[in-house]
Amino acid sequence: MKVNTGHLTYCTNIHPGKNWDDDFKALQENFPVIKQSVSPNGPLGLGLRLSNTSSLELIKEDALTEFKRWLKENKAYVFTMNGFPYGEFHRTVVKEDVHTPDWTTDARREYTIRLFNILQSLLPEGMNGGISTSPLSYRHWFKTADDFAQAKRTATLNVIAVIKELIRISEQTGKIMHLDLEPEPDGILETGREFIDWFENDLLPLGIPAIESSFNVAGIEAESLIKKHLCLCYDVCHFAIGYEAHDEVLKELEAKGIKVGKIQISAALKANLDKSEADREIIKNSFQTFNEPTYLHQVVALKKDGGLIRYSDLTPALEDFENQEATQWRAHFHVPISIKEIGLLQSTQDDITTVLELQKNAPFTDHLEVETYTWKYYRSN
C-alpha cells in the first residue's frame, strides 16, 4: 500500500455521527462511492474521525473485528485519525468547545491513548500512523499570564504521558505512531512559530528527563524518541489564515529535526479589501452569509504596515469591518479545496498549491488528508 508520494485520504469528520453505529453506516454508504471515483483499482486510505463515544464503542473486540473485515472487503485501510473534536461535531453549536476537554484534563489524555490503541489494531504492517489533536487548549479561557502558563505546563505533561505510551507500544509491537499537534487561530499554539517555540522551550525540557527516567535512555535518545512520536499537523488552512510563509516554516522544522506528521489539505476564505465602497459592501455581505452558528470562524486581517489584527469570530470582525487599517481578511471557514473564486471572495487554494509543490520537491511527510467539513453551509451560499 505504501507509495513514494505518500498516502492521500479524506477526513471522515465530514460525516455527522453521534456514535460508532452512525459512523460505520456513513462509511458504508459513502466510502465505496468515493473509492470508485478516486481509486477504483487500488486500496484507499481512510482518515478516521471518532468522537469519545465512538471510540469507547469501536475499541470493543467485536466491533473492531467487524470493522477490520469491512476494511479488507472494501480495500480500505486506516493510517491517520482526527482526534481534535472530542464530542459531537455536527448538528450542535461547537464553537470553542471543539477544544473541550482540553489537554489540561485526564479525559483528553485518556481519549487520545484510546484512539492510539484502536489505530495500532487497524494500522497495516510496516506503516506508521498518526493522530492529529488540539493545540493544547483555547487561549481565551485563561485570563492571566500565570493561568496561561500553568495550563500550557499541565497540557504539556499530559502530552508527554501519551508520548510515553507510544514508546511502549512501539517497543511491544514495532508499530510507530505519532501525535500530531494542530496549531489553529486562538489555540494556545496558533502558529508555526508558537509550535516550534513550545516544542523547544516547554516540551523538550519537560519531556527529556521524563523519557530518560522512564526508559533508562540517555538525553540524546530521549530527544530522538520525542521527535519520533510528537509531530506537527500542518493544516494548510490554519497556516494560510495567519499569512505564514510555508517554505520558511518547513525549513526551520527540518533544521531543528521536528517532523510533520501529516498535511491537512484545506482552504479558508479570503478577500482583498482595497476595493471601491460598493465592492467593499458586497464583500462584507458575502462574509456575513458565511457567519453560521456552529463553528468558530476566526478572522485575521492584514494591516497596511504588515501587522495582523486577530478577531475571535466573524461577528466581531464584521462589527469592525470599516477599520481602514485592514487590507485583506482571511477567515477560518473550511471551503471546498476545488473552489478558488466565490464572487468577490476567494479561497486560499494557492496556499495548498504551494505546500503540495514543496512536498513534491522535497517530501516532508507521507500522510496527506483532505479536510472540508462545511459543505452544507457552502452550498447554501
Side-chain angles (χ1 to χ4, degrees):
M1 293 179 186
K2 191 172 176 64
V3 293
N4 290 335
T5 52
H7 305 274
L8 174 66
T9 186
Y10 78 101
C11 182
T12 65
N13 67 354
I14 194 173
H15 305 311
K18 292 186 176 181
N19 51 47
W20 173 241
D21 186 55
D22 286 351
D23 292 339
F24 196 16
K25 286 177 181 176
L27 287 173
Q28 290 169 315
E29 178 182 350
N30 293 284
F31 180 79
V33 179
I34 295 169
K35 184 179 183 302
Q36 181 60 34
S37 175
V38 301
S39 183
N41 300 317
L44 179 64
L46 267 175
L48 194 62
R49 187 262 156 171
L50 299 174
S51 68
N52 182 62
T53 297
S54 293
S55 72
L56 288 167
E57 294 167 347
L58 179 55
I59 202 168
K60 295 176 182 177
E61 185 176 350
D62 289 349
L64 268 175
T65 298
E66 180 187 16
F67 185 44
K68 285 192 279 190
R69 181 167 53 247
W70 180 86
L71 289 169
K72 184 176 181 181
E73 291 171 353
N74 287 272
K75 294 184 179 179
Y77 61 100
V78 177
F79 64 94
T80 186
M81 295 172 69
N82 185 336
F84 194 144
Y86 177 97
E88 179 66 28
F89 195 58
H90 295 270
R91 300 178 296 208
T92 187
V93 176
V94 178
K95 294 294 184 182
E96 65 267 25
D97 281 337
V98 71
H99 295 273
T100 303
D102 66 10
W103 274 99
T104 67
T105 66
D106 295 346
R108 172 63 66 172
R109 181 189 67 237
E110 293 167 1
Y111 161 66
T112 305
I113 290 173
R114 188 182 312 118
L115 291 182
F116 275 115
N117 285 326
I118 292 170
L119 182 58
Q120 72 153 317
S121 180
L122 300 175
L123 194 62
E125 196 67 33
M127 193 178 297
N128 73 82
I131 297 177
S132 52
T133 190
S134 156
L136 304 184
S137 188
Y138 183 65
R139 67 168 54 228
H140 296 306
W141 285 338
F142 309 102
K143 304 306 181 185
T144 69
D146 286 345
D147 288 345
F148 185 88
Q150 184 56 52
K152 186 158 63 167
R153 176 181 174 83
T154 302
T156 303
L157 291 172
N158 277 322
V159 167
I160 292 167
V162 174
I163 293 171
K164 288 181 181 180
E165 187 63 25
L166 295 179
I167 295 170
R168 293 188 188 100
I169 292 173
S170 180
E171 290 181 342
Q172 293 166 6
T173 69
K175 292 189 175 182
I176 298 173
M177 298 185 293
H178 39 85
L179 181 63
D180 306 330
L181 261 68
E182 181 181 338
E184 79 160 32
D186 292 336
I188 280 184
L189 308 177
E190 61 180 346
T191 65
R193 172 81 276 132
E194 289 184 353
F195 173 84
I196 293 170
D197 289 346
W198 166 78
F199 198 106
E200 293 194 311
N201 301 327
D202 297 275
L203 179 63
L204 290 180
L206 288 171
I208 288 174
I211 302 302
E212 283 179 316
S213 61
S214 293
F215 298 94
N216 193 28
V217 296
I220 191 168
E221 185 175 352
E223 180 175 344
S224 177
L225 286 168
I226 292 169
K227 289 180 175 179
K228 178 186 289 187
H229 295 290
L230 193 288
C231 302
L232 171 69
C233 173
Y234 202 103
D235 188 307
V236 181
C237 167
H238 298 167
F239 281 78
I241 292 166
Y243 304 85
E244 299 195 58
H246 303 293
D247 57 340
E248 293 179 10
V249 173
L250 291 169
K251 283 179 183 177
E252 185 171 1
L253 289 169
E254 182 180 17
K256 294 178 181 297
I258 302 172
K259 297 176 182 177
V260 174
K262 72 175 168 184
I263 304 170
Q264 281 188 327
I265 304 169
S266 54
L269 283 172
K270 72 175 182 179
N272 291 318
L273 304 183
D274 52 347
K275 305 286 186 182
S276 68
E277 186 174 338
D279 282 349
R280 282 177 59 87
E281 188 64 22
I282 293 172
I283 290 170
K284 180 180 180 180
N285 291 336
S286 297
F287 273 115
Q288 181 61 61
T289 64
F290 287 95
N291 193 17
E292 58 80 36
T294 305
Y295 307 104
L296 280 177
H297 300 299
Q298 301 95 331
V299 173
V300 182
L302 180 66
K303 298 197 298 183
K304 295 175 181 178
D305 63 4
L308 302 178
I309 308 171
R310 295 183 178 273
Y311 301 96
S312 61
D313 211 340
L314 261 169
T315 295
L318 287 164
E319 291 171 352
D320 195 40
F321 188 79
E322 301 309 318
N323 189 328
Q324 296 301 307
E325 287 189 293
T327 62
Q328 185 179 128
W329 268 20
R330 297 189 179 186
H332 185 198
F333 192 108
H334 285 237
V335 296
I337 65 172
S338 58
I339 304 297
K340 187 169 183 177
E341 303 289 336
I342 311 167
L344 287 180
L345 305 186
Q346 302 87 43
S347 80
T348 57
Q349 186 189 81
D350 287 345
D351 287 76
I352 295 175
T353 303
T354 297
V355 172
L356 292 183
E357 192 66 25
L358 291 166
Q359 164 73 4
K360 177 183 176 182
N361 293 333
F364 52 88
T365 183
D366 55 5
H367 289 185
L368 299 93
E369 177 184 57
V370 177
E371 189 196 22
T372 302
Y373 52 82
T374 51
W375 276 95
K376 70 175 182 178
Y377 304 109
Y378 173 78
R379 286 172 175 172
S380 67
N381 283 276

